[in-house]
Amino acid sequence: MRKLYAIFLSLLLLLTYCSQPKQQPGQVSVRLASEPHTLNPANYNDMAAMQILNLVFQSLLGPDLEDAQLKPILAKSLPLIEQKDSVTYITYEIREEARWTDGSPVTSDDVAFTLKVLKAPLLQNEQIKPQVAFIQDLVIDKDNNRKFTFVCNRFTPEMELLSGDFFILPAYLFDPEDLLASIPVAALTDSLSKLENNENLKAFAARFNTPDYNNNGKILQGSAGYLLQEWVPGQSIVLTRKENWWGNNTSASNLTANPSRIVLHVIPENTTALLALKARQLDVLSDIPALEFDELKTNKDFLEDFNLHTPDSYALVYAGINSRLAKFADKKTRQAIAHLIDVPNIIKVTQQSYAVPSVGIVPPSVKEYYNTGLKPYTYNTGAAAQLLQQAGWQQRTNGWFRTANGKEEQLTITVTYKAGSTMLETTALIFQASAAKINIPVQVEAQESSLFSKNSRNHSFEIFFRTLTGNPFNFNFEPILHTSFAETGGTNYTGFGNAKTDALIEAINHATDKGQKAKLLKDFQKVMLEEATFLTLYYQKERLAINKRFSNTKVSGLKPNYDISAFLLQK
Amino acid sequence: MRAFISDIAYLLRTKWSFRLAIVYLALLTGLVLLLPLLPLPFSPNELNLQHAFQKPFTNPTYILGTDQLGRDVLSNLLWGARNGLFIAVPVMLLSAVLGTAVGAVAGYFGNSKWKLTYAQVLLILVTIPIVCYYLIHLPMQVVLYSLPGKVAGMAIVAGLALSAILWLIIKPLLNNLMRLRQTIAIPVDGIALRLIELLTSIPRLILLISVAAFAGPSLWLLSVILICTFWTGTARLARAEMLRIVQLPYIEAAISTGMKHRRVILKEALPNLLTPVIVAFVFGVASLLAVESTLSFLGIGLPATHASWGRTISSIRLNLSAWWLVALPGGFLALTVLALQTCSYHLIRLSQQK
Amino acid sequence: MLQQPAIKRLLVAIPVIWFMVSAIFLLSRLLPGTYGETQLLSPEAGFYGKSLQTDRTAAYQQLLQRTGQDLPLFYISIAPLSEVHTATTFSYLVPDLEWHGTRNQYHHWAAALLTGHLGVSFTNSQPVSALIADAAGNTFLILLVSMVLTSVLAFYAGIAMVQDTGKKWRKPMLALLVLLDSIPLFVLCLLLLLLLANPDAWQLFPVFGLGLNLHDTQSNWVTQASYMVLPVACLVLANLPYLTNQVYTSLTGTLQAGYIKTARAKGLPHAKVVTRHALRNALLPVITTLSDMLPALFAGSVVIETIFAIPGVGRLLVSSVLSRDFPVIIGIVIVVALIKMVSHIVADVAYSAADPRIRARTA
């Protein structure tokens, strides 16, 4: 018996001795909360994949996290945009030093090939395809094989962003037999059924729709500074820096590949990730729970090795009221509800004060457009009761009642949110408690994510809480707030809008002058606040920790909140 | 039954730990039943955002502290006990009854003892699709597309009428045919085992996620799924015991004297099954209480407005230093299980002594 | 002599398994939504429209077509009820059946399954069998190690408790087990993690993963094992109470039986009576419990794999249910069902080996 214990104890000691993995200096270890489904640059659909693909492939344009500005990456400069009638021409030129892994230059033919891959039928490209549907054709400059023009349908302000937003793929590697060369880009725009029997396309599909194009580092090679070295499913993804990468010789500060090796560990559970960070097994951790973040702030041992950052994010939490319902059709009822949302306490409890209340949809951190002259609704049950009375509701001992079309109805509210989010659940519970103070019964319902999005799409909800991610460069509110998106299935879930607001949204989109745009946006915030259909509660602050070994981390409110490729080891 | 009561009385007189456990369980039952009448200072869902994460025994208003929303832990514990037991006990009771019935029948009859005529088998095979279409499919469609209720009513009437015609009119006709009067052995044991295998091979998690996708978390659906998946354990144990009991000499003797199967099972075999069933029941209640909190951990448990131990425990994830949110409900849970355990332990001992 | 019933059982099992996986295939499609539906049809709208709804719907149709989900589910279908049907006539009382022929999802899937193909994942075109094989290695290693450890410990504890020398241990031991049993698995995992892998407490073990040390090619079994200790310990601790209790109750039960009393009356020492005679009979209920523990272990592995970041079948299952990757879901269920089926058969054979009276009936 004693022997057994002795063996057990010595084994334990041995294990302990060998168990601590050591960090290498030139390596950055990052946590992924969920594994990417695929790394196919034509079919990825999650943040994790986007973060990794940005290290392997390059797009024409991209935001620089340092100053949140859209900057050229593969392109030499920002594009030239011309509008002629209902057609927009966007002209780019690729940097002449840009090279693929094998040393060959990146040319317009690669861009044409990329468009074909993204637009063709039969291929695994459904996730990215809708984003490039507006590009009708590509015209290659006859004198310069790095210059080309996108021919696009109509004009929207985000076209500049979108036309440079997709990853450019190497034709030599993806299609060595030139199967797609015979198909013109324009042929992929209209009716696609003819092409479904094209032998070349079928042959390419047989090659492209294989696992190799989803996870194989030998195929997935782009023009950026890193190579996908290894992907251990469910565990980690390893990237290594290219030798003599072309980007090192450019002067652009947003083209970087500094760490020699990047390891992304898949760790789903927050607690585990936090422990790994404390054990120095991770160099970077974002999305730290607010309470834990507060705890880290006071942990001296931890602060010796890590810097904590709280950049203003572009993610907002909002309450959407379904204004199509008869009981919420009156503006005053909606305003009353707005007075029942206790935003300061919600921020305190769910974000531990790492959030900024906002009057509307424009982030307070974008100072030139934010309307500082407005005051958000305050939590005030008296004001709410008054507004309800003005809207025709009568208070009785058991609730609020109103007679409409000869039928008496009680004011009841069902609040829904996506199941699994503690933050939204807490928000809903606080709202329930506030509404109970003036006798409005609120039912709180968590809905499984696909059911929740289906209900939002079909407009079968009363009030929901959800999050929305914006950005600092584009303020086109058409998809979420214009009435042309309000039909069933459209993305204007709340039914916000009338002719006046529609005109305002269109004017914002067409404003070219910054001052005019600011004025229009401020007006729009005022109207939105008054309508009280889409109630912005607050903009979140990101919470992340980065090891002090690194400088030039480019911490930003834009996802993924830091640029690993820029990390420099501090001497 | 009378013997069982006298057993309990005997145990109460002689075993102090049994007495303690029974007193605890009785108190808990009384508390849980009378809870709505008790003058608790807070309701379990009452928020007090100024007093979140209060430590226990420091604030006289919140004796056992508060959670991240300032909800009183004491009232959440008590209401959590009520909600937990109100699910666990009926669910496990039904599961145990169902499981014992299936297990006992399967173990007793085996694959050869239960015989039906060809006519009966034929009719059963015809009745099943009728029941599925008229009594399940049509009413579900009515609910799904919110059609008038009279459609569902008509469907049910039609289904019942068709079954009645089959069994009351066609069956006597079929019995006139010589060939259909021959009997065939029904492999009850095989069928029961396959059914158990089918149910246990689908991970419960998939079932729960899919149901959550249909209707959102709800108490009734959760209970139904738990019953459907929990009875198999009892059934397998009951069947295993029954296989052993049937071989015992006195049961064989009872059968050979021409006693009816039903009587043998109910009077002779079932009392012998009591021990494993009680063990399964006790552990079942305990694991149901744990299952409920695990589901909250994965985010697919009871609705968020339902006080439960699981809800309180899961808020530890927001603040790892709030030990009381795990320790108090966890301790309460452990104590309850311990009491149940002690009772069953003594009952087992007693039945073995006899 | 024992092999014959086993073969017979296997032959009977095949149609049952077929029925089972077919039912699972059809039932799983009742899950609302399919892969890509959420992302394509209702993306989280931002400050600009990334794409038009019509383009997205077209892309979704292409996805359905490429993955064969646009076909009807089964050979026949019952047309859904509609207002027209039910408003005036009673035509809904006659089922409106429609025949689709072999161009249906079930036929394609079943035909592929017969040739040994489980299909390819919707999300990344990987063959399902490869995905499961990758994940299963880790899960089964952990399950196997913890199951063996649990059984050994349970028998050891059970025997110790019924022996005369172990009497004083019995009560505290039982209480401890009950206490252990009442802690939900996820709390247990978090507790062990916070106590034993936390730089603020004791950092004895690595925190996450399975320790395929990428930058260090010298990874050997010792470093591998250190990553396994915590997950295995959690599973063992979680399942130990139930199994020990089963062993203990059935041991005490058999010790009361007549022939044991005879053996003791013959003067055999108590320890020998237990190990020689009682143990064999006590095996019966324990075998049932062991083969029944598999789904519990599997459910446990879901929790453990999430918390310890182990890439196993449990996590693969959860992530594919969430993304509605049907081929992977069904593939996993088939594999788990097959293993369960085999373990049931093994349990039955072991049963008849342990109790000769049953052997006569099943043969």
Side-chain angles (χ1 to χ4, degrees), chain A residues 245-289:
Chain A
W245 177 54
W246 65 269
N248 294 335
N249 309 324
T250 58
S251 54
S253 69
N254 61 334
L255 292 180
T256 47
N258 294 331
S260 59
R261 191 183 164 88
I262 298 171
V263 185
L264 302 109
H265 298 280
V266 183
I267 310 176
E269 180 61 30
N270 254 333
T271 321
T272 319
L274 210 64
L275 286 178
L277 181 76
K278 284 183 182 169
R280 297 356 179 220
Q281 288 169 19
L282 290 178
D283 292 311
V284 186
L285 183 65
S286 52
D287 296 319
I288 303 176

Side-chain angles (χ1 to χ4, degrees), chain B:
Chain B
M1 200 61 213
R2 200 170 295 152
F4 187 71
I5 291 170
S6 72
D7 277 357
I8 288 182
Y10 167 75
L11 282 173
L12 277 177
R13 261 182 283 123
T14 52
K15 299 278 191 278
W16 65 269
S17 56
F18 185 80
R19 211 178 311 155
L20 208 65
I22 287 287
V23 167
Y24 172 80
L25 286 178
L27 275 179
L28 185 70
T29 316
L31 193 67
V32 154
L33 290 175
L34 297 176
L35 199 55
L37 306 176
L38 287 183
L40 282 176
F42 302 98
S43 81
N45 286 324
E46 200 171 318
L47 311 184
N48 186 344
L49 302 176
Q50 312 308 322
H51 288 96
F53 288 122
Q54 295 277 308
K55 284 200 174 122
F57 315 120
T58 51
N59 186 336
T61 357
Y62 299 103
I63 299 167
L64 295 184
T66 58
D67 66 358
Q68 81 275 16
L69 291 176
R71 288 178 291 209
D72 184 32
V73 171
L74 175 68
S75 66
N76 266 290
L77 281 187
L78 295 178
W79 280 93
R82 183 179 157 97
N83 290 337
L85 287 175
F86 269 36
I87 297 178
V89 171
V91 163
M92 205 49 224
L93 214 57
L94 284 173
S95 316
V97 169
L98 191 65
T100 316
V102 173
V105 168
Y108 180 83
F109 286 107
N111 280 335
S112 50
K113 267 198 228 162
W114 201 30
K115 294 193 170 67
L116 287 177
T117 63
Y118 276 105
Q120 280 168 319
V121 174
L122 196 72
L123 282 174
I124 289 174
L125 288 180
V126 176
T127 316
I128 290 172
I130 290 180
V131 168
C132 286
Y133 183 73
Y134 289 101
L135 300 187
I136 299 172
H137 175 77
L138 280 182
M140 265 174 70
Q141 291 266 308
V142 168
V143 174
L144 209 61
Y145 297 110
S146 46
L147 297 169
K150 78 173 206 296
V151 175
M154 262 317 287
I156 291 170
V157 169
L160 291 177
L162 276 175
S163 317
I165 292 172
L166 278 177
W167 286 90
L168 297 178
I169 300 171
I170 307 219
K171 190 180 160 221
L173 293 177
L174 283 179
N175 273 347
N176 290 338
L177 294 171
M178 259 326 258
R179 195 169 294 161
L180 291 178
R181 241 187 296 169
Q182 283 167 347
T183 58
I184 177 176
I186 304 294
V188 192
D189 193 31
I191 293 173
L193 277 180
R194 298 297 95 75
L195 191 66
I196 292 171
E197 278 161 19
L198 181 67
L199 279 171
T200 47
S201 61
I202 309 170
R204 198 177 289 148
L205 191 81
I206 289 196
L207 271 176
L208 284 164
I209 292 178
S210 42
V211 168
F214 271 126
S218 107
L219 220 142
W220 287 110
L221 277 170
L222 192 67
S223 311
V224 168
I225 293 180
L226 290 177
I227 292 174
C228 285
T229 48
F230 260 84
W231 66 267
T232 52
T234 326
R236 282 180 69 86
L237 275 177
R239 173 183 168 270
E241 278 297 299
M242 194 55 130
L243 281 181
R244 198 177 57 80
I245 290 166
V246 170
Q247 308 289 337
L248 293 175
Y250 76 95
I251 300 281
E252 277 175 359
I255 297 173
S256 60
T257 56
M259 217 187 210
K260 280 221 170 111
H261 287 320
R262 192 187 301 158
R263 241 180 103 79
V264 177
I265 294 178
L266 288 178
K267 288 272 148 98
E268 308 296 332
L270 268 188
N272 276 302
L273 279 179
L274 203 64
T275 313
V277 168
I278 286 178
V279 176
F281 179 81
V282 168
F283 272 101
V285 170
S287 68
L288 269 172
L289 291 173
V291 159
E292 186 253 335
S293 59
T294 307
L295 289 179
S296 306
F297 175 74
L298 294 171
I300 42 176
L302 288 175
T305 44
H306 242 77
S308 80
W309 289 337
R311 185 177 80 172
T312 311
I313 291 179
S314 67
S315 42
I316 184 73
R317 303 170 88 201
L318 297 171
N319 183 356
L320 292 176
S321 55
W323 56 268
W324 61 95
L325 295 180
V326 172
L328 295 177
F332 203 174
L333 183 68
L335 209 63
T336 314
V337 176
L338 190 67
L340 284 165
Q341 181 82 33
T342 314
C343 291
S344 87
Y345 167 75
H346 285 296
L347 283 172
I348 292 168
R349 283 293 297 272
L350 197 69
S351 74
Q352 278 164 355
Q353 277 164 16
K354 279 183 188 168

Side-chain angles (χ1 to χ4, degrees), chain A residues 100-101 224-227 240-248 257 260:
Chain A
W100 295 116
T101 317
Y226 288 89
L227 290 172
T240 45
R241 188 173 57 192
K242 281 182 191 167
E243 302 291 323
N244 306 319
W245 177 54
W246 65 269
N248 294 335
S260 59

Side-chain angles (χ1 to χ4, degrees), chain A residues 293-364:
Chain A
F293 195 76
D294 271 351
E295 198 266 323
L296 289 181
K297 263 182 161 173
T298 58
N299 186 336
K300 284 217 182 69
D301 179 42
F302 178 80
L303 290 176
E304 247 167 51
D305 280 350
F306 287 91
N307 281 323
L308 295 171
H309 303 271
T310 54
D312 282 310
S313 81
Y314 300 97
L316 67 97
V317 173
Y318 75 98
I321 303 178
N322 192 350
S323 60
R324 298 175 188 86
L325 298 178
K327 59 181 167 187
F328 301 135
D330 190 332
K331 204 192 293 183
K332 293 221 165 66
T333 311
R334 299 198 297 264
Q335 287 167 352
I337 291 169
H339 275 297
L340 291 175
I341 304 177
D342 188 358
V343 177
N345 264 324
I346 290 173
I347 290 179
K348 197 180 134 208
V349 173
T350 63
Q351 308 288 333
Q352 298 301 310
S353 308
Y354 292 108
V356 188
S358 173
V359 290
I361 195 165
V362 176

